[in-house]
Amino acid sequence: MILDQFKLDGKVAIVTGASRGLGKGLALALAEAGADIVGVGVSNSAATGKAVEALGRRYLEVTADLTDKACVADIVDKTKTAFGRIDILVNNAGIIRRNDFVDFSEQDWDDVMDVNLKTLFFLSQAVAREFIAQGEGGKIVHIASMLSYQGGIRVASYTSSKSGVKGLTMLMANELAQHGINVNAIAPGYMATDNTEALRSDEQRNTEILARIPAGRWGIAEDLAGAVVYLSSDAGSYVQGHTLAVDGGWLAR
Ligand code: NAP
């Protein structure tokens, strides 16, 4: 039955940035589909853990600052110790810094590239090695952005990191498909989270953005639920290297 192919019962999913925003929604979607969740982040993710457990799944919080890739081994080790295996990795954690291109600082470049691209790369590498050792394939889903396709303004490191994520998604699929590992990305449109608080509270920018979204509203975390379960499940097993826009039609304009 087709709906059975979407089930994630017995699977173990690592979700970075699961404390709030889109990551919390992605973790809950995977848990609702049957997966146990490892939530990775700096701050407390107890609210996510409680919600996952209310769905009857197990939750492990791993405290890690993804600015430094040194945390990668710990994330993998703690997951294996607690749950014995890894089936799904969702690289969601991400940050943004805004400044004019001519004034953009090295700090704002490095911080964003480290979290959004460098640690994403090394965590994916560590998890892919586990998938290969386990011998049963696996699923990796990166969270990309509209700025994987567009340049944006005043977000030099963010647009560079997210364009990099889209390229890396294709490279990883090319190299890992032979191991039964699916690598894809989701490119959310304009979503109402802390990340976009500054844009939404700027009345002019908010009006301009809403006028350009065919769906006529900001997205919410729940809008990504179907996409992440699809790409993390057997239902998406022949989808490789794709970045799926979930954007209310933004890119179609
Ligand atoms: P958010 O509300 O700001 O949440 C960011 C999450 O990332 C938090 O859980 C945060 O953990 C975690 N994080 C940030 N820096 C970290 C670090 N150094 N180490 C560990 N965890 C870290 O952001 P969001 O809007 O949900 O965005 C999630 C992802 O979607 C990001 O990759 C973002 O670029 C992407 N995205 C968002 C939008 C949008 O419109 N919101 C659109 C396209 C793409 P703590 O709570 O511990 O700080």
Side-chain angles (χ1 to χ4, degrees), residues 16-24 26 40-45 62-68 71 91-96 111 114-116 119-120 142-147 158 161-162 186-197 199-200 218-219 221 224 246:
T16 65
S19 62
R20 56 196 164 95
L22 303 184
K24 183 178 180 191
L26 294 164
V40 178
V42 181
S43 59
N44 183 297
S45 63
V62 175
T63 304
D65 183 351
L66 301 169
T67 310
D68 183 352
C71 63
N91 280 306
N92 162 77
I95 58 172
I96 191 165
D111 289 351
D114 283 348
V115 175
N116 293 13
T119 303
L120 173 147
H142 302 310
I143 301 304
S145 168
M146 293 297 92
L147 296 188
Y158 187 82
S161 69
K162 294 299 184 177
I186 296 170
Y190 280 86
M191 313 297 283
T193 67
D194 294 349
N195 187 306
T196 53
E197 174 66 44
L199 287 180
R200 284 178 293 120
W218 285 78
L224 305 182
V246 181

Side-chain angles (χ1 to χ4, degrees), residues 81-139:
T81 302
F83 296 148
R85 56 180 296 109
I86 310 170
D87 300 288
I88 299 159
L89 169 64
V90 179
N91 280 306
N92 162 77
I95 58 172
I96 191 165
R97 299 277 168 77
R98 298 175 194 279
N99 206 346
D100 292 343
F101 172 75
V102 289
D103 295 324
F104 216 83
S105 70
E106 186 172 356
Q107 192 73 54
D108 284 344
W109 177 268
D110 285 346
D111 289 351
V112 171
M113 293 301 275
D114 283 348
V115 175
N116 293 13
L117 191 56
K118 184 173 180 180
T119 303
L120 173 147
F121 172 87
F122 283 102
L123 181 57
S124 298
Q125 184 187 61
V127 168
R129 287 174 178 160
E130 289 300 322
F131 286 163
I132 292 167
Q134 288 173 183
E136 294 173 29
K139 307 283 181 181

Side-chain angles (χ1 to χ4, degrees), residues 190 206-207 209-219 247-250 253:
Y190 280 86
N206 189 42
T207 306
I209 287 166
L210 280 178
R212 199 195 174 285
I213 301 173
R217 66 169 175 86
W218 285 78
D247 65 349
W250 175 274
R253 290 281 298 253

